[in-house]
Amino acid sequence: MKAAAFDYVRADSVGDAIDALAADGARVLAGGQSLVPLLNMRLARPSLLVDVNGLDDLAYIRRTDDVVEIGALTRQRAVETSEVVRRDLPLLAQALRHVGHVTTRNRGTLGGSLAHADPAAELPAVALALDAELVVRGPSGDRAVRALDFFESPFRTVLTSGELLVAVRVPVQRGACAIEELSRRSKDLPLVAVFVTFEPADGRIRIAVAGAGPTPIRARAAEELLAGRTLTDDVITEAAREIAAAADPPSDLHAPADYRRDMAAVLGRRALTKAVR
Ligand SMILES: Cc1cc2nc3c(=O)[nH]c(=O)nc-3n(C[C@H](O)[C@H](O)[C@H](O)COP(=O)(O)OP(=O)(O)OC[C@H]3O[C@@H](n4cnc5c(N)ncnc54)[C@H](O)[C@@H]3O)c2cc1C
């Protein structure tokens, strides 16, 4: 099948892109790794594609004070191989190895994965686990949105028409982290994935889960249960139960909801144990 007809404009500046996005039915084209298949299957029928691939000023990685800021158009492979990201945001660097293939990561962008908001995708859950802040630009200027508030429902975010995600700000990680992911084939989107970070500055453990609901989720009750406790096997098992209780996964042709919920507990226990070690 081929895409339905659409108009196309290549933006020369962020301002150009925002002006073009004001048109009814306009949609951003970034790496195209999710959007182009949707076009070809006619699951998306935008009237206008606003190609932002020429906006080099949205492709950067900068460390300032205790925050790493990454431009939305930075290719996933550039993020994965960045020395700054490997040193200061190891959870993000490790998660990227699970995202598709090197070929898709060469084109796919960080911002594209967040804006696409697939509830099973790794990067939205990583943004939650790292308490990232997303910078959105629209006709009336910039607004910062916490990752926790960004994802609304499957494939929907708080981005309104005419807005462009321009950057992601992530506090530097200081402690251990771990990822446990279950997918049917290596490199597929996960059925469930759990992301854990330990932050020595505030003593908090943060737990985010992909594939466990209509959006990525933070397992708050499990985080509260772990606060200030010695992480024995029994405590970790209790927390894993809370991770499963927080999950509200879908049933689909890949796996029933009960299986995903059970796997959230299994992967949660493994990820916590790995991070403790
Ligand atoms: C074979 C294959 C395997 C994959 N496996 C995985 C996987 O295991 N895990 C995973 O998470 N993903 C996977 N993906 C998806 C991949 O990570 C995509 O790159 C990503 O989801 C979208 O990024 P993109 O830059 O390609 O965005 P595009 O496809 O260009 O756009 C995606 C959506 O986001 C919007 N958008 C893009 N950029 C912006 C912006 N800056 N501001 C506002 N809206 C924007 C677009 O309008 C569109 O709606 C896979 C893709 C393929 C083809």
Side-chain angles (χ1 to χ4, degrees):
M1 215 155 153
K2 285 294 162 208
F6 53 81
D7 289 327
Y8 169 90
V9 62
R10 188 173 168 90
D12 289 328
S13 68
V14 174
D16 260 10
I18 286 163
D19 288 348
L21 284 169
D24 223 20
R27 195 131 167 200
V28 177
L29 173 66
Q33 298 302 301
S34 294
L35 183 55
V36 172
L38 291 177
L39 293 176
N40 285 343
M41 289 185 279
R42 300 202 175 195
L43 294 170
R45 288 168 172 258
S47 56
L48 171 69
L49 282 191
V50 181
D51 184 346
V52 294
N53 282 280
L55 304 184
D56 293 340
D57 47 341
L58 292 188
Y60 62 87
I61 299 170
R62 272 183 221 133
R63 161 99 198 240
T64 48
D65 298 327
D66 287 342
V67 170
V68 180
E69 181 171 314
I70 307 176
L73 204 74
T74 314
R75 306 291 165 184
Q76 294 161 4
R77 182 71 177 154
V79 178
E80 176 192 353
T81 55
S82 151
E83 281 306 315
V84 173
V85 174
R86 287 187 172 176
R87 187 189 61 226
D88 296 333
L89 301 175
L91 186 76
L92 177 56
Q94 287 167 31
L96 274 157
R97 286 188 221 132
H98 294 273
V99 177
H101 311 260
V102 171
T103 41
T104 62
R105 299 198 293 274
N106 278 337
R107 290 297 302 164
T109 64
L110 176 62
S113 178
L114 298 175
H116 185 56
D118 187 325
E122 288 90 351
L123 300 183
V126 168
L128 255 63
L130 293 177
D131 273 337
E133 184 179 76
L134 280 58
V135 184
V136 173
R137 190 165 301 165
S140 46
D142 283 4
R143 63 188 177 112
V145 183
R146 295 185 318 160
L148 269 172
D149 302 324
F150 187 72
F151 304 101
E152 287 192 325
S153 55
F155 307 102
R156 277 192 75 90
T157 69
V158 299
L159 284 169
T160 57
S161 58
E163 284 189 321
L164 186 67
L165 175 60
V166 290
V168 183
R169 294 188 189 130
V170 196
V172 165
Q173 267 184 267
R174 308 271 180 208
C177 60
I179 299 173
E180 283 290 325
E181 169 162 334
L182 174 72
S183 46
R184 286 168 63 95
R185 295 175 309 187
S186 162
K187 311 301 181 190
D188 274 3
L189 278 158
L191 294 176
V192 183
V194 180
F195 303 85
V196 171
T197 62
F198 281 57
E199 188 45 60
D202 58 10
R204 304 270 323 174
I205 294 170
R206 291 172 173 79
I207 304 167
V209 192
T215 63
I217 59 166
R218 271 285 285 274
R220 292 287 195 193
E223 293 178 8
E224 294 304 328
L225 185 145
L226 292 168
R229 307 268 297 270
T230 303
L231 300 189
T232 60
D233 283 352
D234 286 349
V235 171
I236 288 176
T237 301
E238 264 184 76
R241 266 190 231 117
E242 292 293 347
I243 296 174
D248 178 22
S251 279
D252 59 23
L253 76 165
H254 300 299
D258 285 351
Y259 178 71
R260 288 179 202 259
R261 202 175 291 111
D262 289 350
M263 287 304 108
V266 171
L267 299 175
R269 180 156 30 78
R270 285 186 197 160
L272 285 163
T273 306
K274 206 198 258 182
V276 168
R277 284 195 190 127

